[in-house]
């Protein structure tokens, strides 16, 4: 993408001075999902597959096991300590990774009251009621609006809520200097110096892939991060911001590597923007992943071969193959493989081949990287359980249960 050979290029996250590895399995499964993994790195405990903000004593789909098994995220603890807090994502804001920062749900799919049990509060409801979040940016409008309300951008669609409650209005009520936006222009017009609360929901569900994003109607992840940091950093007590490039995962599930890798580049751009707006003297920055995917590269290609290009060697069927491949997923070819050409593989929607046929590619179990810089970044070292991330961040900032840590080199922001 930069017009260079690529192998020697360093992402912003590659430049962080401290690294560690995270073991991502959940309590009940080898291959985790983003609900259990997000609970681990947000809240500091390993959890069961598909559950959010709950200890492993809770059971998926069993609403009655929620009460008494809730665990608090670092974001929530930071807010209780007086810091400003925010979440920014390219998925719906009720999706698993951000939702573990504020919700407690026995099923990650209980986005609104349309999907959940009557006895359990849905994730969108909890977004508004559980934690006083200053900045919320991403998708997910439909889960906040009643089924009788038309979407402002796509009038043929309506909200999904059955309780006739407009949660956006509920969130805005009794807040000073609070704004709600649903398109890029409205976001651009927000004056950060006069805004204490900002909710931006730019699509009914997830935001579009960066490859297809309308630059006039929807902001990029980088643009959302810039707005969030400029609002949150005004708090003299500091801030906590969670940022997710959530559609990286979605691209992989479809065996569409170009989508996933382009999302990764945009995620890295957002990291760079956040670093430019903060200082490593007072801001701890931590970058990691929920989990890995069954995604691989190979083929003995020459230096500088496009990462999404064809290998220079051929397979036993005498046909070319892409260097990027998947272990399983919808890219499986039944019968003989096609004779690939770069005119085909260069297409934005090209689906890489996979070894095993599945409707959706699965997560994998490899350890994932943790990159860190800033005060107390040296806490991130070695091979750690994923739940260690939350404890390291809480300890670094002297948040509950480490309020008495008495560190001199502790971060104000993270």
């Amino acid at each position: 993408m930069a017009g260079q050979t690529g192998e020697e290029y360093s992402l912003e996250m590659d430049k962080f001075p401290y690294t560690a590895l995270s073991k991502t399995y959940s309590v009940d499964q080898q291959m985790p999902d983003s609900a259990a993994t997000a609970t681990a790195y947000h809240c500091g405990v390993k959890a069961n597959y598909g559950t959010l903000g709950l200890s492993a004593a809770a059971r998926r789909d069993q609403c009655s096991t929620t009460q008494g098994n809730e665990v608090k995220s670092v974001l929530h603890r930071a807010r209780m300590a007086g810091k400003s807090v925010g979440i920014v994502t390219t998925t719906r804001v009720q999706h698993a990774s951000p939702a573990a920062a504020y919700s407690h749900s026995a099923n990650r799919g209980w986005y609104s009251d349309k999907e959940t049990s009557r006895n359990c509060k849905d994730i969108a409801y909890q977004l508004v009621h559980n934690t006083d979040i200053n900045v919320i940016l991403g998708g997910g409008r439909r889960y906040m609006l009643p089924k009788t309300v038309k979407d402002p951008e796509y009038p043929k669609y309506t909200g999904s809520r059955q309780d006739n409650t407009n949660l956006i209005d509920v969130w805005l009520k009794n807040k000073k200097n609070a704004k709600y936006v649903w398109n890029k222009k409205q976001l651009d017009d927000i004056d950060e110096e006069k805004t204490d609360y900002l909710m931006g929901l730019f699509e009914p569900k997830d935001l579009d892939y960066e490859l297809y994003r309308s630059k006039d109607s929807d902001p990029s992840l980088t643009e959302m991060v810039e707005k969030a940091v400029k609002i949150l950093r005004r708090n003299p007590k500091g801030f906590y911001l969670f940022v997710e490039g959530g559609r990286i995962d979605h691209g992989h599930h479809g065996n569409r590597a170009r989508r996933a890798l382009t999302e990764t580049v945009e995620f890295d751009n957002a990291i760079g923007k956040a670093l430019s707006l903060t200082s490593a003297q007072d801001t701890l920055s931590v970058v990691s992943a929920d989990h890995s995917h069954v995604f691989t590269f190979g083929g003995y290609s020459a230096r500088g071969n496009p990462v999404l290009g064809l290998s220079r060697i051929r397979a036993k069927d005498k046909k070319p193959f892409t260097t990027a491949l998947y272990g399983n997923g919808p890219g499986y070819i039944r019968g003989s493989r096609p004779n690939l050409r770069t005119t085909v593989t260069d297409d934005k929607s090209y689906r890489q081949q996979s070894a095993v046929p599945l409707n959706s590619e699965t997560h994998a179990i490899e350890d994932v990287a943790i990159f860190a810089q800033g005060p107390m970044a040296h806490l991130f070292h070695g091979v750690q359980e994923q739940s260690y991330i939350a404890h390291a961040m809480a300890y670094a900032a002297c948040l509950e249960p480490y309020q008495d840590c008495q560190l001199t080199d502790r971060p104000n922001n993270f």
Side-chain angles (χ1 to χ4, degrees):
M1 291 176 70
Q4 302 171 22
T5 50
E7 289 85 359
E8 73 280 10
Y9 187 83
S10 292
L11 297 169
E12 292 296 332
M13 65 183 90
D14 292 331
K15 302 172 187 176
F16 282 30
Y18 292 95
T19 58
L21 290 176
S22 168
K23 300 172 72 173
T24 64
Y25 66 91
S26 56
V27 170
D28 57 343
Q29 287 207 179
Q30 288 181 336
M31 283 62 167
D33 79 315
S34 292
T37 54
T39 299
Y41 62 69
H42 277 305
C43 305
V45 301
K46 290 273 189 176
N48 289 324
Y49 189 93
T51 63
L52 288 166
L54 298 169
S55 73
R59 295 292 181 266
R60 188 176 188 182
D61 295 324
Q62 297 182 26
C63 184
S64 61
T65 66
T66 300
Q67 189 171 2
N69 294 318
E70 301 92 342
V71 286
K72 297 177 182 177
S73 71
V74 178
L75 179 144
H76 181 82
R77 288 176 253 168
R79 190 67 181 121
M80 292 299 97
K83 296 180 183 291
S84 293
V85 299
I87 57 173
V88 177
T89 180
T90 52
T91 67
R92 61 204 79 183
V93 296
Q94 305 87 358
H95 210 257
S97 299
Y102 61 81
S103 73
H104 313 285
S105 178
N107 188 313
R108 58 175 288 177
W110 290 344
Y111 298 128
S112 74
D113 63 339
K114 179 181 179 181
E115 294 89 9
T116 189
S117 159
R118 292 181 182 178
N119 297 321
C120 268
K121 295 298 183 182
D122 60 88
I123 295 167
Y125 178 95
Q126 294 186 58
L127 170 64
V128 170
H129 291 90
N130 282 10
T131 303
D132 182 31
I133 304 175
N134 300 87
V135 175
I136 302 167
L137 298 176
R141 280 196 302 260
R142 70 169 306 191
Y143 309 111
M144 310 294 283
L145 299 173
K147 62 181 181 180
T148 55
V149 174
K150 292 182 178 180
D151 186 87
E153 189 173 8
Y154 313 103
K156 67 178 180 178
Y157 297 114
T158 64
S160 67
R161 300 202 64 80
Q162 311 294 303
D163 58 7
N164 201 34
T165 301
N166 186 321
L167 289 177
I168 297 169
D169 290 342
V170 173
W171 185 81
L172 289 168
K173 189 176 181 180
N174 298 326
K175 285 185 171 67
K176 293 183 178 180
N177 303 319
K179 302 289 184 181
Y180 167 70
V181 299
W182 59 266
N183 61 49
K184 183 179 183 300
K185 183 183 184 304
Q186 292 173 347
L187 180 69
D188 292 342
D189 289 344
I190 291 293
D191 185 343
E192 304 94 348
E193 297 303 316
K194 298 179 180 179
T195 305
D196 296 324
Y197 289 89
L198 175 63
M199 177 184 286
L201 304 176
F202 304 103
E203 289 291 334
K205 293 184 179 180
D206 302 322
L207 274 61
D208 207 350
Y209 288 103
E210 182 65 19
L211 271 173
Y212 309 111
R213 177 176 64 88
S214 169
K215 294 177 174 55
D216 294 326
S217 60
D218 288 349
S220 67
L221 181 62
T222 300
E223 290 166 337
M224 291 191 290
V225 165
E226 179 175 9
K227 189 67 68 172
V229 172
K230 287 181 176 179
I231 292 172
L232 298 174
R233 70 181 181 182
R234 292 170 47 234
N235 187 338
K237 291 186 177 181
F239 69 86
Y240 177 99
L241 175 62
F242 172 71
V243 177
E244 181 199 23
R247 304 227 66 192
I248 299 170
D249 172 80
H250 296 171
H252 284 314
H253 280 310
N255 287 168
R256 301 189 192 273
R258 187 176 298 275
R259 293 180 184 178
L261 295 186
T262 304
E263 291 296 308
T264 303
V265 170
E266 177 56 24
F267 178 59
D268 197 66
N269 291 339
I271 294 170
K273 176 58 69 174
L275 296 179
S276 73
L277 295 170
T278 57
S279 169
Q281 298 299 310
D282 62 10
T283 302
L284 172 63
S285 300
V286 182
V287 179
S288 192
D290 290 13
H291 48 69
S292 61
H293 281 264
V294 290
F295 180 52
T296 188
F297 298 96
Y300 300 111
S301 295
R303 174 75 181 275
N305 189 59
V307 71
L308 293 172
L310 298 172
S311 170
R312 70 176 176 183
I313 65 173
R314 298 207 168 204
K316 291 183 70 175
D317 60 6
K318 309 299 182 184
K319 295 177 181 178
F321 60 94
T322 55
T323 57
L325 294 167
Y326 287 90
N328 60 46
Y332 178 82
I333 304 295
R334 289 174 173 81
S336 62
R337 298 188 315 115
N339 196 9
L340 293 177
R341 300 280 192 276
T342 55
T343 53
V344 174
T345 59
D346 284 348
D347 188 86
K348 287 182 179 181
S349 61
Y350 177 72
R351 178 172 274 157
Q352 272 69 22
Q353 294 173 9
S354 71
V356 176
L358 290 176
N359 290 331
S360 177
E361 176 262 7
T362 69
H363 300 160
I365 197 174
E366 297 95 347
D367 299 347
V368 298
I370 310 170
F371 303 96
Q373 80 163 27
M376 304 302 292
H378 63 274
L379 293 175
F380 294 94
H381 59 86
V383 180
Q384 305 288 351
E385 295 290 352
Q386 194 167 38
S387 50
Y388 173 82
I389 296 173
H391 288 276
M393 290 192 297
Y395 180 79
C398 295
L399 299 175
E400 182 187 343
Y402 308 109
Q403 304 96 314
D404 301 324
C405 59
Q406 299 181 353
L407 301 174
T408 56
D409 182 33
R410 75 192 221 188
N412 199 39
N413 316 311
F414 55 117

